[in-house]
Amino acid sequence: MTGADSGQPPAGLDLTEVERGLWQAFRQGRTYDLRAAHSEHNDPSVPQSWGPERTVRAHVVALLLLDGPPAEPGRVSALKLEGVQIAGLLDLSGGTVVPYVELHNCRFEQELLVPECRFTTLRLIGCAIPRIEAARLRTEGDLHLPRCVVPGGIRLTDARIGTDLLLNQLLVRRNRHGLSISADGMSVGQDMQAELMRSDGELSLRGATIGVSLSLRGSTLSNPFGRRALNAPQLTVERTLYLTATGVGGSPFAGGATPPYGTPTTPARGTRVQPFECQGGVRLDDGRFGDAVDLTQARFVMEEGQELSLRRIHTPELRFLGEAPQRGRVVLSGARVVNLVDRETSWPGPGGLAMAGFSYEHLIPVGHFPLSGRLAWVAAATPEYAPEPYERLAGVLREGGEDGSAREVLLAKQRRRRETLPLAGKAWGYLQDWTVAYGYRTGRAALWLTVLWALGTLYFSFHELPPVRHDEAPTWNPELYVLDLLLPIVDLGQSHAWKPSGLAQWLVTVLTLLGWMLATTVAAGASRLLRRQ
């Protein structure tokens, strides 16, 4: 008896000797190793001829996977290949693959077609594949593509990966639509790891869902052909998105707990650090990240008109600790974070930052970040005056007990606002600034009161005023008289007892008006201090 049910190849299949060995290895669940004796001949991505002694036909592989023979007694059938060339088009579209599949350092002559296919686990490691078409792919376990070379792009649109998606050290280039990896709507049950990956084209993860963390540590995303290198609006990551550096040849060294409760570990001496680098725009609009968005040592190389767009993202922590972009813009409009962990040197200059409606609750600077730097940070985000970023910063500083710094921020807000006023408004603003600093430096108001009291006392010491009523007039006291003019609330019985005229009348009017302004400023400042506002 012949045929798949008996474990023998179907009649008329005409297997080659190499394919007969593959057939038996599949039934036994062992690795079928066709590597050459010299390692330099085993790299599938290098243009060199692999002869018939290392080649199996794609339709034989498809037969094994979709309708293969039973395993030998006591064994589990599996397709495990090492150093094998697959000739022809491997098309498993819509099929259900039960056997375990793991291919190492194999070469595909044509693209791999697995759309709407179901696997338990699919592992392609170090393989050269012209293109992978895997829309709506389903796996119960992992999908692994580490160290593969895929020059025609990968399509994983609406794929469902049961556990982990592994793309470490993958080299993938764009398809005819400019996409390197198209994974819109993809769902990954656990981690997606794409560390030290090289993507030439647009990596698209629109609406994707990652069950644990998404790591692009040390990867390089480049798209000189389009606007964005990473396009991932409405991305959901249950824990952390890592766009960070990594130590080549070692485990990641960054992304630990938030300072001061934890500090990033330092790579061992001699470890080469590979930063995450994105050459092109990034779009993470409307993303949801359960733990953090980590940009430690990230490098964004953008052209004019490109953006690192974080519009309306929600995350407990944003670690903005990369290099400051030299061109393009960082956009945080509408984003909501709890902890903003940042470094002064990570932010772009004027015109390179937008954060209208950006909400954060705590500032956790790494390194020296003075208040002057914070004010420059807000000014960079508001080329045209807008009060909200100043008020947000002042509120966060006040909640942190930094009342003095909060007042400095609000003073800076008034000074920026003054530049938008007409000439008369600017003149009044300068007067308020010079005299009482818009009421945010109450000590200056008290000093002006003292100076005015001294000058008024000096003048009236030599210019005694006539009483309103001679029989009821108190004893002339220039010190008390000027003090009564300057304090609008307290009545010392002096200001109404004397009758000024001429120059003295004008001086009394000026002292009264300035007294109202300065005394109320001092009172307001004292009230803020008592209420810790």
Side-chain angles (χ1 to χ4, degrees):
M1 179 178 180
T2 62
D5 291 339
S6 66
Q8 298 301 313
L13 189 56
D14 296 328
L15 296 181
T16 66
E17 191 65 28
V18 174
E19 292 168 347
R20 288 185 182 276
L22 169 64
W23 192 274
Q24 293 304 315
F26 176 84
R27 295 191 62 206
Q28 295 168 3
R30 60 179 173 85
T31 299
Y32 193 50
D33 191 345
L34 297 181
R35 287 177 295 177
H38 299 287
S39 59
E40 62 269 17
H41 296 152
N42 291 321
D43 186 346
S45 63
V46 174
Q48 56 185 334
S49 176
W50 287 12
E53 71 282 0
R54 301 182 63 177
T55 302
V56 298
R57 290 171 292 173
H59 76 270
V60 174
V61 175
L63 178 60
L64 289 173
L65 293 177
L66 298 176
D67 193 20
E72 292 187 358
R75 307 303 292 267
V76 176
S77 59
L79 185 69
K80 299 178 182 179
L81 305 181
E82 180 86 47
V84 176
Q85 177 171 265
I86 299 176
L89 178 65
L90 181 55
D91 187 353
L92 305 175
S93 302
T96 298
V97 177
V98 176
Y100 175 84
V101 180
E102 182 169 336
L103 279 62
H104 286 257
N105 304 307
C106 292
R107 175 188 288 175
F108 289 72
E109 283 189 348
Q110 298 183 35
E111 64 182 320
L112 173 62
L113 299 180
V114 287
E116 302 192 37
C117 191
R118 294 180 178 271
F119 285 85
T120 50
T121 291
L122 176 59
R123 291 177 177 162
L124 306 176
I125 302 168
C127 297
I129 311 169
R131 170 174 165 76
I132 299 177
E133 171 59 60
R136 296 173 296 283
L137 172 74
R138 301 289 188 274
T139 70
E140 295 178 15
D142 298 342
L143 172 59
H144 287 188
L145 298 169
R147 302 192 302 280
C148 286
V149 176
V150 188
I154 300 172
R155 187 181 181 199
L156 287 166
T157 306
D158 296 319
R160 297 290 180 268
I161 311 303
T163 51
D164 294 332
L165 173 59
L166 188 63
L167 305 176
N168 293 347
Q169 301 180 56
L170 171 71
L171 172 58
V172 57
R173 296 189 174 91
R174 65 185 182 117
N175 61 17
R176 64 181 182 273
H177 302 295
L179 299 171
S180 59
I181 299 177
S182 176
D184 299 342
M186 178 182 68
S187 170
V188 178
Q190 296 183 20
D191 290 309
M192 176 177 170
Q193 293 188 13
E195 300 179 0
L196 295 170
M197 179 181 73
R198 177 63 186 262
S199 167
D200 294 330
E202 181 181 297
L203 170 56
S204 182
L205 293 168
R206 294 184 299 176
T209 300
I210 310 301
V212 184
S213 293
L214 168 54
S215 176
L216 286 160
R217 292 184 177 101
S219 293
T220 299
L221 311 183
S222 175
N223 186 16
F225 319 102
R227 185 177 178 185
R228 301 183 184 95
L230 175 58
N231 187 22
Q234 299 181 326
L235 172 66
T236 299
V237 179
E238 294 298 328
R239 297 195 63 179
T240 301
L241 169 63
Y242 294 101
L243 305 181
T244 67
T246 190
V248 178
S251 60
F253 64 86
T258 302
Y261 309 105
T263 55
T265 58
T266 303
R269 178 180 289 273
T271 300
R272 185 168 66 88
V273 175
Q274 175 68 39
F276 168 82
E277 182 170 314
C278 186
Q279 300 172 11
V282 176
R283 185 185 180 201
L284 296 172
D285 299 349
D286 301 295
R288 299 294 183 268
F289 307 93
D291 283 353
V293 175
D294 194 345
L295 307 180
T296 302
Q297 295 192 12
R299 180 184 298 157
F300 298 95
V301 182
M302 297 181 286
E303 300 298 329
E304 297 299 333
Q306 294 180 332
E307 295 179 342
L308 167 56
S309 180
L310 303 171
R311 291 177 173 88
R312 299 176 299 280
I313 68 166
H314 285 210
T315 181
E317 185 162 286
L318 172 60
R319 303 171 193 157
F320 201 89
L321 300 169
E323 297 182 11
Q326 300 302 309
R327 292 184 296 275
R329 290 201 312 163
V330 176
V331 183
L332 286 161
S333 302
R336 300 179 65 85
V337 307
V338 179
N339 297 331
L340 176 58
V341 184
D342 63 348
R343 183 181 289 112
E344 183 179 12
T345 57
S346 295
W347 294 104
L353 178 61
M355 53 183 189
F358 176 37
S359 171
Y360 51 94
E361 298 180 19
H362 306 288
L363 290 171
I364 307 175
V366 174
H368 184 57
F369 204 149
L371 181 60
S372 59
R374 283 290 176 203
L375 292 175
W377 173 63
V378 174
T382 53
E384 296 182 357
Y385 168 71
E388 192 274 336
Y390 288 94
E391 292 167 358
R392 168 61 58 181
L393 177 57
V396 170
L397 292 173
R398 186 182 300 124
E399 289 295 324
E402 300 181 52
D403 292 347
S405 296
R407 289 194 293 273
E408 289 295 324
V409 172
L410 294 175
L411 175 57
K413 181 191 81 167
Q414 293 294 341
R415 288 170 173 168
R416 283 290 305 278
R417 176 179 175 274
R418 182 176 66 206
E419 301 306 314
T420 67
L421 299 177
L423 184 60
K426 286 182 180 179
W428 175 243
Y430 278 114
L431 178 61
Q432 287 184 295
D433 196 354
W434 290 336
T435 54
V436 295
Y438 289 96
Y440 291 110
R441 293 177 182 168
T442 56
R444 185 183 293 183
L447 177 61
W448 275 108
L449 279 173
T450 303
V451 170
L452 291 173
W453 174 77
L455 292 175
T457 299
L458 180 63
Y459 176 83
F460 286 110
S461 294
F462 297 98
H463 300 82
E464 183 176 344
L465 299 179
V468 176
R469 296 182 180 180
H470 290 277
D471 56 341
E472 298 180 2
T475 303
W476 171 248
N477 187 322
E479 293 87 354
L480 289 179
Y481 179 70
V482 175
L483 189 62
D484 202 6
L485 293 175
L486 292 173
L487 298 180
I489 300 176
V490 179
D491 186 3
L492 301 178
Q494 291 284 334
S495 60
H496 301 294
W498 308 98
K499 184 178 180 181
S501 61
L503 179 61
Q505 188 174 18
W506 283 104
L507 182 58
V508 167
T509 302
V510 170
L511 289 173
T512 302
L513 292 175
L514 291 177
W516 270 101
M517 183 177 71
L518 295 172
T520 53
T521 298
V522 172
S527 175
R528 282 196 299 269
L529 182 62
L530 291 173
R531 291 182 292 152
R532 292 186 61 82
Q533 291 186 351

